[in-house]
Amino acid sequence: KDKASVENTVAHVATWVIAGLRQQQFTSLPELRAAITDRVGAYNAEPFQKRPGSRASVFAAEEQPLLTGLPAAAYEISRWAYGRRVGRNGHVVWERNYYSVPFAHVGTSVDLRITDRVLQAYRGSERLTSHLLLPESAANEYRTNDADLPAGEKYRQWDPERVREWAGRIGPAAVTVVNRIFESVPVDEQGLDAALAVLRLSRRYSAERVEAACRLALAGRVRSPRYAHLQPILATEQDKAAGLRPPRDEGVEHGGYVRGAEYYAGGAK
């Protein structure tokens, strides 16, 4: 109901301020801004015609005590990603990068709130952790808060060195496969998922069978065997067939069969 009255007052103030500044000349915007501020202050200090006080005195007595300070942080527009699963490494994936979540939430789903600067993980209305957002150009990088990790030596982040250690416990062929995976990518971290997919086959099959499958794959024409090459070998038990096949028993020739001069001489007769 007061909208029209407020609009009329604003228009009246603007007209009054402009009228008072029309005869002046200004050489810069700060100079003009200061003059407008003084003019508005003078308008608010003018006494009311039908009651005591002025706009400035009413503001100081009635409105100013009710004002609260502005928030310490400016409002940021955010977007949400719901139902993101926390991996076994205690991190959640967002735009090809990894952000840690408290280790107690491994295997659960969390919601992500993303602004221009920050990524936050929520479980319901509880905020679990907060990270500075990695730049858009980043890929396969980690943001890890120490407080999100379990105490002691219970957790160790996967890196190329640790992956090679695991491959070494399986066998030399597995080491070769892992090394070739890392050689096929520009940055080692980009090969972590592919290498781990190969090594995790040993959780379903034995390490001996995975090593045999790696040997078979390396004997083929694939330069860098991956999970897609090894899993069918194990599923169809080609590695077992290769292990049961007896080795070819071929005699070793120390010299060729040579027909001497007598043979040819005899044939010429």
Side-chain angles (χ1 to χ4, degrees):
K1 294 181 179 180
D2 295 332
K3 181 174 182 293
S5 175
V6 172
E7 290 177 346
N8 289 335
T9 301
V10 171
H12 175 71
V13 173
T15 302
W16 189 86
V17 170
I18 292 172
L21 301 177
R22 185 169 293 168
Q23 303 302 322
Q24 302 181 43
Q25 292 184 351
F26 303 96
T27 58
S28 66
L29 286 177
E31 185 181 353
L32 174 61
R33 186 181 301 112
I36 292 174
T37 300
D38 292 341
R39 190 75 174 152
V40 172
Y43 181 86
N44 288 330
E46 282 194 348
F48 290 124
Q49 296 180 0
K50 298 182 179 181
R51 61 169 176 160
S54 64
R55 292 178 176 83
S57 65
V58 170
F59 170 76
E62 300 179 7
E63 299 176 0
Q64 191 170 19
L66 302 178
L67 296 178
T68 59
L70 294 174
Y75 177 79
E76 292 183 302
I77 297 176
S78 62
R79 49 182 170 156
W80 287 81
Y82 298 98
R84 293 302 179 105
R85 186 174 179 82
V86 182
R88 292 184 179 181
N89 61 356
H91 289 70
V92 65
V93 180
W94 173 251
E95 292 189 344
R96 303 176 298 166
N97 294 300
Y98 301 84
Y99 299 86
S100 68
V101 175
F103 208 74
H105 298 277
V106 167
T108 64
S109 294
V110 297
D111 301 327
L112 304 181
R113 177 179 179 267
I114 304 99
T115 68
D116 291 338
R117 303 180 302 108
V118 176
L119 179 143
Q120 298 171 324
Y122 282 81
R123 187 80 184 277
S125 59
E126 178 188 4
R127 187 178 69 181
L128 303 177
T129 190
S130 180
H131 298 275
L132 288 177
L133 196 64
L134 286 161
E136 293 182 359
S137 58
N140 296 310
E141 293 190 18
Y142 285 79
R143 289 278 199 216
T144 304
N145 291 333
D146 292 340
D148 293 338
L149 304 180
E153 299 295 330
K154 296 180 181 179
Y155 174 78
R156 180 183 170 195
Q157 184 172 300
W158 285 109
D159 55 23
E161 180 183 358
R162 186 182 177 194
V163 170
R164 289 187 173 98
E165 289 177 1
W166 186 1
R169 294 194 295 271
I170 293 176
V175 173
T176 301
V177 168
V178 166
N179 285 336
R180 289 188 180 180
I181 289 175
F182 287 135
E183 291 169 1
S184 67
V185 294
V187 181
D188 280 353
E189 283 69 17
Q190 296 179 3
L192 284 175
D193 287 343
L196 287 171
V198 168
L199 300 179
R200 284 170 181 154
L201 286 169
S202 62
R203 294 175 177 172
R204 181 176 179 184
Y205 307 96
S206 66
E208 292 76 13
R209 290 193 62 191
V210 173
E211 173 68 8
C214 289
R215 285 198 301 268
L216 280 177
L218 292 170
R221 297 183 178 181
V222 181
R223 166 63 185 169
S224 179
R226 305 288 180 107
Y227 175 92
H229 304 103
L230 300 174
Q231 195 277 336
I233 294 176
L234 294 164
T236 57
E237 298 187 346
Q238 296 178 45
D239 57 298
K240 290 184 177 180
L244 295 174
R245 186 182 303 137
R248 295 177 59 185
D249 187 11
E250 297 181 354
V252 180
E253 290 189 6
H254 299 286
Y257 182 79
V258 181
R259 294 182 174 92
E262 294 182 357
Y263 172 84
Y264 291 104
K269 293 181 180 178

